Amino acid sequence: MDEAKREEIIKQYQNRDRVVRILSNDHKFRAVALKNTDSARNAQKRHNTDWIGSFLLARTMSAAAMMANFLKGEERIIVELKGKGPVSSVYGEAMSIGENRGFVSYSPDISDKPIENIGEALGAGVINVTRILYDRPEPVQSILPLQKGDVATDLAYYYQMSEQIPSAVILDVDFNEDGIISHSGGLIVQALPGTTQEELEEVYSHLVGIDSLVRYFDDDKNPRDILEEILPFEFEVVRSSQLDFLCRCSKDSFISRLKTLSVDEIKDMQEKNDNELVCRYCNEHYYLEPGDFDTLIEEMQATRN
Ligand SMILES: [Zn+2]
């Protein structure tokens, strides 16, 4: 391999989506920083979302990906914001191992009135955080009223109210001239038990001055570099994980879900050639072939007789 090619591959690897978690040397703060430009852009492309939908989707996926980094293995976080505005819901889901997916739903009676501030997109509503954890038989759910509907403020509010963890949250998305996501990233800094109000405020005062997080990505900086530049304390990296837009859906999983319907309903679908199955999480389209219907009906009749 020639040197230029080698350098290109190394650069691609260094620039890929990543979540980095740190712990301050004095154990008073933990933080997680994220770059998820490719995942957010992938979601925008798959769902063909407009500007405001892409903006909220990227931020919600960022929130989920960072929160999931505090979990283990296949433990999962779902962050869903629901409102009465033109965007009726935005959904972000992430697994601790680095899988991320999401989608946006719009209100059917969408108005042409331009949105003047981000809070109007969702309007009044709720943030719903669901954690699926190994040691809990049921998902752990928390529902709180939306504060600003900008995701970042709502997430900080969630951490304060539901987990009693003082948190500073920055989420940042940028677009190119064609309206395509050019950068997406985020940062959460959390105070651990024993931190004084003074220490907390000192760290917060460093963060309020940050007008843009993603500008660091312009200089090929990764989440670790950003943490080193921004945080006013020494730390060690606890975890650095790659992140991808990934949905575990498959044609087979859709077909097995059809088995909850009746044989007559399946026959009806077959007659109407109602053969398109769409995943709402990743917008993948699957099509049932005539043979798929036959096999499905045969299998259903065999198990029901
Ligand atoms: Zn899917």
Side-chain angles (χ1 to χ4, degrees):
M1 197 185 300
D2 66 58
E3 195 56 27
K5 179 89 182 151
R6 212 176 98 88
E7 275 175 21
E8 178 62 30
I9 289 172
I10 290 171
K11 200 178 157 191
Q12 270 175 9
Y13 177 78
Q14 285 169 342
N15 282 333
R16 99 191 274 309
D17 286 359
R18 183 172 289 281
V19 194
V20 175
R21 172 149 54 103
I22 64 97
L23 178 68
S24 69
N25 287 352
D26 61 9
H27 289 204
K28 289 192 170 180
F29 293 93
R30 66 178 187 178
V32 50
L34 152 93
K35 174 184 173 172
N36 67 337
T37 305
D38 291 337
S39 308
R41 201 188 286 138
N42 193 340
Q44 177 187 36
K45 195 174 155 203
R46 282 173 172 276
H47 296 292
N48 193 23
T49 43
D50 65 356
W51 176 82
I52 195 75
S54 308
F55 181 86
L56 288 170
L57 179 57
R59 290 169 78 113
T60 306
M61 284 174 58
S62 299
M66 287 194 287
M67 295 170 91
N69 194 271
F70 291 123
L71 308 180
K72 303 184 282 280
E74 295 196 351
E75 290 187 328
R76 271 188 296 149
I77 284 265
I78 295 167
V79 180
E80 192 166 24
L81 286 78
K82 291 180 183 172
K84 293 188 162 55
V87 175
S88 58
S89 84
V90 53
Y91 177 104
E93 180 181 345
M95 242 183 246
S96 185
I97 47 170
E99 296 179 17
N100 202 193
R101 62 181 185 174
F103 65 94
V104 182
S105 306
Y106 297 90
S107 165
D109 39 47
I110 200 162
S111 80
D112 292 334
K113 197 169 139 268
I115 289 166
E116 272 158 27
N117 76 68
I118 197 69
E120 291 171 23
L122 281 153
V126 294
I127 177 169
N128 186 346
V129 175
T130 309
R131 289 176 294 156
I132 294 112
L133 307 171
Y134 288 146
D135 58 0
R136 299 290 282 268
E138 298 289 330
V140 184
Q141 204 174 46
S142 177
I143 302 175
L144 292 163
L146 284 181
Q147 298 304 298
K148 282 192 178 168
D150 64 355
V151 192
T153 313
D154 308 297
L155 188 61
Y157 185 70
Y158 158 81
Y159 269 122
Q160 184 63 52
M161 301 305 285
S162 293
E163 300 197 32
Q164 287 76 49
I165 305 174
S167 307
V169 179
I170 300 175
L171 300 170
D172 202 5
V173 191
D174 231 346
F175 294 82
N176 70 16
E177 287 164 358
D178 300 321
I180 309 295
I181 291 173
S182 55
H183 295 299
S184 177
L187 172 73
I188 300 176
V189 183
Q190 296 186 322
L192 297 172
T195 310
T196 64
Q197 191 62 28
E198 238 179 354
E199 289 165 332
L200 193 64
E201 274 160 23
E202 199 206 317
V203 170
Y204 281 0
S205 69
H206 276 266
L207 301 177
V208 288
I210 300 164
D211 56 336
S212 165
L213 196 65
V214 294
R215 72 184 163 85
Y216 291 98
F217 298 146
D218 272 335
D219 308 327
D220 278 346
K221 297 218 159 112
N222 59 40
R224 187 200 169 119
D225 301 330
I226 292 178
L227 289 164
E228 268 166 4
E229 287 212 16
I230 290 176
L231 297 179
F233 49 72
E234 302 282 306
F235 61 78
E236 62 165 324
V237 173
V238 179
R239 191 174 173 198
S240 174
S241 326
Q242 298 182 1
L243 182 74
D244 291 287
F245 185 102
L246 212 92
C247 184
R248 296 193 179 189
C249 70
S250 66
K251 187 172 164 181
D252 283 347
S253 66
F254 274 100
I255 290 178
S256 55
R257 246 179 287 165
L258 287 175
K259 288 178 184 168
T260 59
L261 301 175
S262 71
V263 172
D264 285 342
E265 283 171 303
I266 302 294
K267 283 181 176 164
D268 196 47
M269 283 173 68
Q270 186 176 27
E271 264 163 40
K272 290 180 182 150
N273 198 27
D274 180 8
N275 69 337
E276 190 183 48
L277 304 165
V278 183
C279 177
R280 67 179 178 138
Y281 300 103
C282 69
N283 207 26
E284 193 72 41
H285 287 51
Y286 299 100
Y287 296 94
L288 292 177
E289 308 295 332
D292 294 326
F293 279 111
D294 295 338
T295 312
L296 182 60
I297 292 165
E298 260 171 49
E299 281 178 16
M300 287 169 72
Q301 280 170 338
T303 53
R304 276 165 212 203
N305 284 340

